[in-house]
Amino acid sequence: MKTIGIICEYNPFHNGHAYQLHTLAQQYPDTLRICIMSGSFVQRGEPAIFSKFDRARWAILGGADIVIELPTIYSTGSAQLFGTGAIRMVKALAIDALSFGSETTDLDALIDIAKRMDCESTQEQLRTYINEGMSYGTAFRKALHTEILNTPNALLGIEYIRAGLAYNPKLQYIPILRTSNHHEETITDELPSGTALRQLITSTGILSSQLQSFIPPSIASDMSQVIENGNYLNYNRYHDIVHSLSRRTTPKELEKFGDFNEGIEHLWVKAAQHFSWTAATEEIKSKRYTYARLQRMGAYLTLGITKDILQNAMEEGPQYARLLAFNDRGRQWLRNEYEIPLIQKWAKAPNELSTLGQTMHHIDTLATDIQALCFHNESNRIGHKDYTYTPQYIK
């Protein structure tokens, strides 16, 4: 085993992420740690709190050897789309094994569940429960009769294995036990959730002494400078963008975007007349349309991701791998050739990409531009930063 992949978001990077990378470094000291990281938007269906350029640098400082960007089409997708896109990129880059955080490290149990997910009987029950108004996640939990799917990291791990069975059967798996609550909104343990850390950052606007205790010392000063400079997300600005687009888009136009089904576009437009986007989502939310799904729909609208694009992305897989950062250990790996182009110069990339690849390139560029527009610091809201970025070599 020469390479281990880590599918991640680092939103933001914290001690729990450093623990995973450190554990892998101890257990497999000669193996490269390659991060497949969400870019400017994350699976929550909104921009990341920090730029992908900062997060990639912190990943290297925190123990990774290479950071590759997962295209936005996958990073904003459902657990299945997210997992499938990431695993197909792992396959295209010839990565030997995959490590992921999970609330259980019982790999046999995770593999068994993944195998049952695509059985006809499971799929039939799934369709029945969805038709009864359940969300995708709730329906799957009931169809599979397992509470493991209640835990978000284990759920993603199962989706990785499910995609691996279909696209990368030789892939090895290394689950790392995760003990913190992924969605806990308050600081309650030594390895708090990303949700709690984001709330602490946005409420204080500084790298407080409390926050600093959860950030690796190798990146604390760097992150503190980024926060002090206002180069982090103002979520209210992003919500206003989604809100304004929702008011100017007709139900018929909404139908073409991902996840807009069953007439929800009419309720969406009606709810958009509320005074805030938070109030609008309160009205739309239901058992079928959870907050997470509504946030993804908002991202699809904002970034112009249609059902056709999502279908093509699911069928064809990632069309390129964009290099964000690397260190000395990762330099040799960059000289290899892979199934998809390894992009280092963004401006030249479209010339060597398929039509779908060019669409992914455009959406990634737009995602970075929208995220930048939502930063606190006005001077950092300029567009087309992707075109001026060179992969960071961190010695």
Side-chain angles (χ1 to χ4, degrees):
M1 183 169 58
K2 297 180 180 179
T3 51
I4 297 174
I6 302 101
I7 300 167
C8 56
E9 300 203 294
Y10 297 155
N11 186 36
F13 193 95
H14 55 67
N15 287 339
H17 302 130
Y19 171 78
Q20 180 188 20
L21 290 166
H22 178 69
T23 299
L24 293 173
Q26 285 189 316
Q27 294 180 357
Y28 309 96
D30 298 325
T31 305
L32 283 181
R33 298 174 292 280
I34 302 174
C35 291
I36 309 295
M37 188 185 80
S38 296
S40 299
F41 273 58
V42 293
Q43 213 232 342
R44 289 169 53 85
E46 62 188 13
I49 191 168
F50 296 115
S51 79
K52 61 190 176 188
F53 313 123
D54 289 332
R55 287 159 40 237
R57 180 173 66 256
W58 297 335
I60 298 294
L61 293 173
D65 297 308
I66 297 162
V67 182
I68 302 291
E69 179 179 356
L70 179 67
T72 306
I73 288 175
Y74 303 105
S75 73
T76 55
S78 64
Q80 183 180 13
L81 180 60
F82 182 95
T84 298
I87 289 298
R88 293 186 72 170
M89 180 171 282
V90 165
K91 170 68 164 56
L93 296 176
I95 294 172
D96 302 312
L98 178 75
S99 177
F100 55 89
S102 174
E103 291 81 0
T104 175
T105 56
D106 187 342
L107 186 56
D108 289 339
L110 295 174
I111 292 174
D112 176 67
I113 294 170
K115 287 180 177 178
R116 289 195 287 126
M117 290 178 88
D118 288 313
C119 291
E120 180 53 38
S121 59
T122 301
Q123 289 295 315
E124 184 176 345
Q125 284 186 301
L126 175 66
R127 288 189 291 270
T128 299
Y129 293 138
I130 287 177
N131 289 336
E132 291 176 0
M134 294 183 190
S135 69
Y136 178 84
T138 300
F140 243 139
R141 282 192 291 274
K142 193 165 183 179
L144 289 164
H145 308 290
T146 177
E147 291 304 308
I148 291 180
L149 296 180
N150 278 324
T151 53
N153 292 281
L155 173 58
L156 273 176
I158 291 168
E159 287 290 359
Y160 299 150
I161 297 170
R162 180 188 187 187
L165 292 171
Y167 297 103
N168 196 356
K170 294 182 180 180
L171 187 65
Q172 303 173 55
Y173 301 98
I174 308 170
I176 304 289
L177 184 64
R178 175 167 182 153
T179 58
S180 61
N181 185 333
H182 182 75
H183 293 302
E184 177 62 55
E185 295 186 2
T186 57
I187 303 290
T188 57
D189 54 36
E190 295 182 358
L191 297 176
S193 70
T195 300
L197 294 179
R198 287 190 297 274
Q199 290 198 357
L200 193 56
I201 292 168
T202 55
S203 64
T204 62
I206 59 172
L207 190 65
S208 64
S209 57
Q210 183 185 22
L211 177 61
Q212 194 159 349
S213 64
F214 304 117
I215 305 299
S218 59
I219 71 171
S221 177
D222 192 340
M223 185 180 290
S224 180
Q225 189 66 48
V226 169
I227 295 173
E228 288 176 10
N229 289 339
N231 294 333
Y232 66 99
L233 200 79
N234 180 337
Y235 288 96
N236 290 331
R237 286 181 63 85
Y238 174 67
H239 292 158
D240 284 346
I241 290 174
V242 179
H243 202 177
S244 62
L245 286 172
S246 298
R247 283 193 177 180
R248 71 177 296 272
T249 309
T250 67
K252 187 170 182 59
E253 291 169 333
L254 285 175
E255 286 179 3
K256 67 182 180 182
F257 295 109
D259 268 6
F260 281 88
N261 301 308
E262 304 159 331
I264 194 169
E265 56 274 7
H266 298 283
L267 180 57
W268 187 282
V269 169
K270 180 183 176 183
Q273 309 315 310
H274 276 292
F275 67 93
S276 73
W277 188 243
T278 300
T281 55
E282 286 284 350
E283 179 170 322
I284 306 170
K285 182 183 177 296
S286 66
K287 287 193 298 182
R288 175 80 66 89
Y289 289 90
T290 62
Y291 283 123
R293 184 173 179 182
L294 294 177
Q295 286 180 171
R296 285 198 300 272
M297 292 163 68
Y300 292 156
L301 170 61
T302 302
L303 300 172
I305 300 177
T306 64
K307 293 184 176 76
D308 288 344
I309 292 173
L310 290 171
Q311 182 65 33
N312 290 340
M314 192 69 174
E315 291 174 355
E316 299 187 33
Q319 301 296 292
Y320 56 83
R322 189 196 184 173
L323 178 67
L324 292 177
F326 62 100
N327 62 12
D328 273 330
R329 280 170 47 89
R331 290 183 75 180
Q332 183 65 38
W333 182 86
L334 300 178
R335 299 172 185 171
N336 299 333
E337 292 188 3
Y338 300 101
E339 294 178 13
I340 55 178
L342 184 63
I343 302 299
Q344 299 192 42
K345 294 184 179 180
W346 197 241
K348 295 183 178 180
N351 295 329
E352 55 181 305
L353 297 178
S354 65
T355 299
L356 177 59
Q358 292 172 2
T359 298
M360 290 184 177
H361 181 280
H362 168 72
I363 291 172
D364 285 350
T365 303
L366 180 59
T368 302
D369 289 349
I370 294 295
Q371 183 199 38
L373 197 59
C374 298
F375 282 138
H376 283 269
N377 187 343
E378 290 184 1
S379 65
N380 205 37
R381 293 177 188 166
I382 58 175
H384 278 196
K385 290 183 181 178
D386 280 302
Y387 291 96
T388 61
Y389 179 78
T390 300
Q392 298 172 81
Y393 168 43
I394 300 171
K395 298 181 180 180

